[in-house]
Amino acid sequence: MPPDEVFDAALKRFLAQQRVDMRSLAAELGIGRATLYRRAGSRDEVLGHVLWYLTDRNLERAVRHADGLRGPERIVAVIGHFLNAVWDQPSLRHFLAAEPEAALRILTSKRGVVQRRVVDHLEGLLTEEIEAGAFAPRLDVRTLAFVLVRIGESFLYADAIADGEPDVEQALQVIGRLLEG
């Protein structure tokens, strides 16, 4: 995690739909670029933490939104609310449009912080439903969580991946079918 002042400055720029540039961040913070890199890591790492912060907030809201639901219905509701919240975020849409390669690398790489933590979160949700006796998956939980995340990414970031149109509803249909008993 980058130091608080770096994170705060990067988050502010990202939410303002400004490019998170290490040179201007260093200048804003009154430090050299080398110092910034040493303290905070690469630009991708800084952006990864900013995007994870926003993602985590969306995941928490999605779980609250599905309160009272159980089993596959809860899982689909959480994923649907999450995907719609992500798509409704203007700063993320701007980042995807302005820097699609960087955005996809940071958001969907297994080496990055975002996808790994989303898979972990979803694995936890699936485990809760299994332990409650509300869901019996046909795949191991880790694999299922990864597949569900990849489906969501494929439909959500379709414009950046393959010049398609993002389609959250189609993603939810596919996910719902996969979760059927």
Side-chain angles (χ1 to χ4, degrees), residues 102-113:
L104 289 175
R105 182 178 61 247
I106 295 165
L107 290 165
T108 66
S109 170
K110 67 181 179 179
R111 287 178 292 285
V113 65

Side-chain angles (χ1 to χ4, degrees), residues 31-105:
I31 59 177
R33 269 188 33 214
T35 301
L36 177 61
Y37 278 99
R38 195 170 41 259
R39 289 184 187 166
S42 70
R43 176 177 185 261
D44 281 9
E45 289 173 287
V46 171
L47 279 167
H49 286 288
V50 166
L51 288 165
W52 170 245
Y53 169 79
L54 296 170
T55 298
D56 189 42
R57 289 179 31 192
N58 284 328
L59 284 168
E60 289 174 8
R61 282 192 290 270
V63 169
R64 283 194 305 272
H65 176 77
D67 192 41
L69 300 176
R70 293 269 69 30
E73 185 181 11
R74 179 175 182 231
I75 297 163
V76 171
V78 168
I79 293 170
H81 189 80
F82 170 72
L83 292 176
N84 281 305
V86 169
W87 184 244
D88 288 342
Q89 197 167 12
S91 54
L92 179 61
R93 285 198 321 266
H94 172 78
F95 182 46
L96 281 162
E99 300 183 64
E101 294 85 12
L104 289 175
R105 182 178 61 247

